[in-house]
Amino acid sequence: MFLKHYRTPLLILSLFLSISGAFAQQPGHSIKVRMKGIQEGKTCHLAHFFGYNQYIKVDSAKVENGLLNFQGKDPLKGGIYLIVLSPSKYYDFAVDGKEQFMEIESDTTDFVGHVKFKGSKENDLLFAYRKFLQDKSKEAEAISNASKGKTDPASQEATRKQMEKVQADVETYMKDFTKANEGSFAAKVIKGNMEPELPKVLPKKANGRPDSTYLFNYYKGHFFDNIDFADDRLLRSPFLHSRVERYFKDLVYQVTDSINRDADKVLKLAKPNQEVYRFVLWQITNKYENNEIVGLDGVFVHLAENYYLKNAPWLDSTQRAKFKERVDILKPLQTGKVFPELIVTDSLGREYTPMQSKTKYTLVHFYDPECGHCKDSAPKLMEFYHANKGKVTIYNVSIVYDKKKISSFVNTYKTGELLNLWDAKGRYYFRNNFDVYSTPTNYILDKDKKIIARRIPVDKLEDFINFYERQQIQKMAGENGAK
């Protein structure tokens, strides 16, 4: 577990300043902690997880006569809680939402091994499992240590079988535990860590060979079987967040259509609990709103149009209007769409549009003559142009309506070989029409003037073009091979 805060995009930052939820019971809570190794007078915190790598502080207490006493008039929401001694030293335990009065006794040298609870059956269950797991980890470590230096096949095979036995023991324990304690929060926590059980026999394809893709598709299809999306206590644990994160990182093909289909699937699972649904929607949006992978801008548009603007009752009218504004800007600028109309003028009053470009690629480069980054990028832009003459036409479009500043920039940075242009007739508000909220901003268009990339750093333009062309060759080879 890692306790660090992560940044969230500005548009959705305000959506999770607080998570509402019904209180389980009244009145209040009391968590008394007596732990050897904590200095007298030290202030410690009570917190709960929020996602995988962030925690939210609930209370603070000072060690008095060896005792920490966290208490309050409101009951604690269910989840995995932390006794935080410092950002790098903390101890976790469960609060099921019903057991609000408990005592914890342990030692900082081995919290799991020495911990005892009063007033919490859930933690008795959970830590019986954790102690078993700790013992099995020691057993595996001993097997590993004993095998060091033994390189003969017989010894390696014996070690492998011993390790498999340890793993099988853990899996059997988890299955038996969750079955025997079904309905408990401890069982849900342990079940949330279990992998889907894969079939032992693979179906065969028409040619009689085993279907090698079956296991992947089965695993992906059953990946969330052990997560109870209806239980909002998992919001205050690392398990829900990490499971969703793994799904989109490891199992989802990173193209817009695939991501959107899988986002719909996961959000449907989350629908039974509005707080869980809200969190999962936020998590997926947070992952893809400013993703570095080229061409995924359509994911945000999909989520905004189909969820934030249709089924997000927690948004107020101002927040909803911001989503609507963002969708209106981004929708015509998505990768794969024909670049919107742009009519701009050179210093002689001649009008140009990217649709006139005859080269294989067209680069529409928006800049500000007084922008430091634009000045730094100008020599690299010219290097790219000289390396790709006849292959790329560059529309160097100033967002500033000042011919003197434009002329000075062109002369200083020697961009005269490019089409140096500006909006002489005031047709556009570049921020809204072309999402130019910082400069330089560029769009790469193919021969049909479809957007193939945007916001590629100038020094990475050459790399992107080469990457894109390799992709196109592979795509053509695949299509030819399928015929």
Side-chain angles (χ1 to χ4, degrees):
M1 293 177 285
F2 302 93
L3 298 178
K4 61 181 181 179
H5 295 273
Y6 51 80
R7 294 188 302 166
T8 56
L10 291 177
L11 181 59
I12 57 175
L13 179 63
S14 63
L15 302 185
F16 275 91
L17 294 178
S18 65
I19 295 291
S20 61
F23 289 139
Q25 65 177 30
Q26 292 288 349
H29 69 272
S30 174
I31 310 292
K32 295 180 179 179
V33 182
R34 191 176 294 277
M35 193 158 11
K36 292 179 183 178
I38 303 181
Q39 184 180 356
E40 186 71 15
K42 180 178 177 60
T43 298
C44 301
H45 305 296
L46 180 68
H48 64 68
F49 274 100
F50 181 61
Y52 179 69
N53 56 359
Q54 179 170 305
Y55 68 88
I56 294 177
K57 188 174 77 172
V58 176
D59 198 1
S60 298
K62 188 178 290 186
V63 180
E64 296 180 356
N65 298 318
L67 184 70
L68 282 167
N69 190 3
F70 300 106
Q71 58 183 347
K73 62 181 181 179
D74 295 323
L76 299 172
K77 302 172 185 177
I80 301 298
Y81 279 70
L82 304 159
I83 303 161
V84 183
L85 279 60
S86 71
S88 60
K89 197 167 187 178
Y90 51 90
Y91 307 94
D92 59 323
F93 64 99
V95 172
D96 72 342
K98 297 177 182 177
E99 298 171 342
Q100 297 289 338
F101 299 87
M102 70 178 77
E103 297 179 17
I104 306 172
E105 184 176 343
S106 191
D107 191 320
T108 57
T109 60
D110 183 4
F111 179 75
V112 173
H114 293 108
V115 72
K116 296 178 183 177
F117 291 89
K118 288 184 180 179
S120 180
K121 181 182 177 183
E122 289 284 356
N123 281 296
D124 289 339
L125 292 172
L126 183 59
F127 278 82
Y129 160 73
R130 291 186 65 178
K131 287 175 183 178
F132 170 82
L133 203 61
Q134 185 169 273
D135 290 341
K136 285 295 175 182
S137 294
K138 291 176 181 176
E139 185 179 336
E141 186 178 0
I143 294 169
S144 178
N145 290 335
S147 69
K148 288 180 178 177
K150 297 180 180 180
T151 57
D152 60 287
S155 296
Q156 291 181 340
E157 177 65 13
T159 298
R160 185 186 64 80
K161 287 183 177 180
Q162 287 176 303
M163 286 295 195
E164 285 181 350
K165 173 67 165 55
V166 172
Q167 183 61 35
D169 289 346
V170 171
E171 291 174 359
T172 299
Y173 185 99
M174 294 172 80
K175 288 179 191 175
D176 292 344
F177 181 97
T178 53
K179 186 176 180 180
N181 298 285
E182 189 175 0
S184 69
F185 183 47
K188 288 189 177 184
V189 167
I190 294 169
K191 194 172 183 180
N193 283 283
M194 293 171 61
E195 291 292 316
E197 189 170 352
L198 298 176
K200 300 290 189 292
V201 180
L202 296 182
K204 294 182 178 180
K205 296 188 289 187
N207 60 12
R209 295 178 181 176
D211 185 353
S212 59
T213 64
Y214 180 79
L215 279 183
F216 174 82
N217 292 327
Y218 184 94
Y219 181 76
K220 181 179 178 182
H222 292 269
F223 188 74
F224 292 110
D225 284 1
N226 295 325
I227 294 289
D228 184 1
F229 282 89
D231 192 337
D232 63 63
R233 290 176 296 187
L234 294 183
L235 291 175
R236 291 170 287 279
S237 83
F239 313 116
L240 178 64
H241 180 276
S242 61
R243 202 77 179 168
V244 172
E245 180 66 24
R246 274 184 59 201
Y247 184 78
F248 283 94
K249 179 176 181 287
D250 298 335
L251 303 180
V252 177
Y253 187 46
Q254 296 300 300
V255 296
T256 298
D257 289 346
S258 295
I259 295 167
N260 289 346
R261 280 195 301 271
D262 282 298
D264 291 343
K265 171 187 171 181
V266 177
L267 288 166
K268 185 177 180 180
L269 291 173
K271 276 285 179 68
N273 186 299
Q274 183 170 298
E275 293 305 320
V276 174
Y277 162 74
R278 174 178 171 179
F279 176 83
V280 173
L281 177 57
W282 166 82
Q283 183 181 351
I284 300 171
T285 309
N286 185 37
K287 180 176 180 63
Y288 289 107
E289 185 180 9
N290 291 312
N291 197 285
E292 293 181 358
I293 299 176
V294 173
L296 299 186
D297 36 10
V299 176
F300 175 80
V301 173
H302 174 80
L303 294 173
E305 278 195 314
N306 293 282
Y307 295 95
Y308 287 105
L309 296 178
K310 288 184 179 179
N311 189 14
W314 60 87
L315 294 180
D316 60 30
S317 58
T318 301
Q319 292 169 327
R320 194 169 286 106
K322 287 181 180 178
F323 274 101
K324 178 66 167 58
E325 178 185 22
R326 195 79 185 118
V327 168
D328 289 344
I329 291 172
L330 290 179
K331 195 167 184 179
L333 298 170
Q334 294 177 78
T335 303
K337 292 205 169 187
V338 174
F339 191 68
E341 180 184 76
L342 174 65
I343 302 172
V344 278
T345 306
D346 68 7
S347 60
L348 299 177
R350 295 173 297 193
E351 289 189 337
Y352 291 83
T353 171
M355 297 302 157
Q356 296 170 335
S357 175
K358 303 297 183 185
T359 50
K360 186 175 183 180
Y361 302 104
T362 302
L363 178 70
V364 181
H365 183 81
F366 295 100
Y367 77 101
D368 180 337
E370 296 185 307
C371 156
H373 291 300
C374 302
K375 294 174 182 178
D376 292 340
S377 296
K380 299 170 187 175
L381 184 65
M382 294 309 300
E383 286 178 22
F384 172 73
Y385 173 72
H386 289 137
N388 292 276
K389 267 188 178 180
K391 185 178 182 179
V392 177
T393 301
I394 299 180
Y395 285 65
N396 198 35
V397 182
S398 170
I399 66 168
V400 170
Y401 297 78
D402 189 318
K403 290 180 69 174
K404 287 184 179 180
K405 289 179 180 179
I406 296 170
S407 177
S408 176
F409 184 94
V410 171
N411 292 331
T412 301
Y413 297 99
K414 299 178 173 57
T415 66
E417 293 178 77
L418 310 180
L419 291 172
N420 294 284
L421 308 160
W422 66 299
D423 181 19
K425 296 186 177 179
R427 293 182 173 100
Y428 309 105
Y429 176 38
F430 289 109
R431 185 181 183 90
N432 282 1
N433 295 115
F434 298 97
D435 196 31
V436 182
Y437 56 80
S438 64
T439 51
T441 289
N442 58 55
Y443 289 82
I444 304 176
L445 317 180
D446 67 9
K447 61 182 178 59
D448 299 316
K449 309 305 177 288
K450 290 181 179 179
I451 300 169
I452 59 174
R454 57 190 298 229
R455 299 192 182 284
I456 303 293
V458 171
D459 59 352
K460 300 295 182 184
L461 289 170
E462 184 79 29
D463 292 340
F464 174 78
I465 291 294
N466 292 335
F467 167 76
Y468 177 77
E469 293 193 333
R470 287 196 300 271
Q471 272 194 325
Q472 296 305 107
I473 292 170
Q474 291 172 2
K475 184 179 179 182
M476 288 177 63
E479 289 174 351
N480 291 334
K483 290 179 182 179

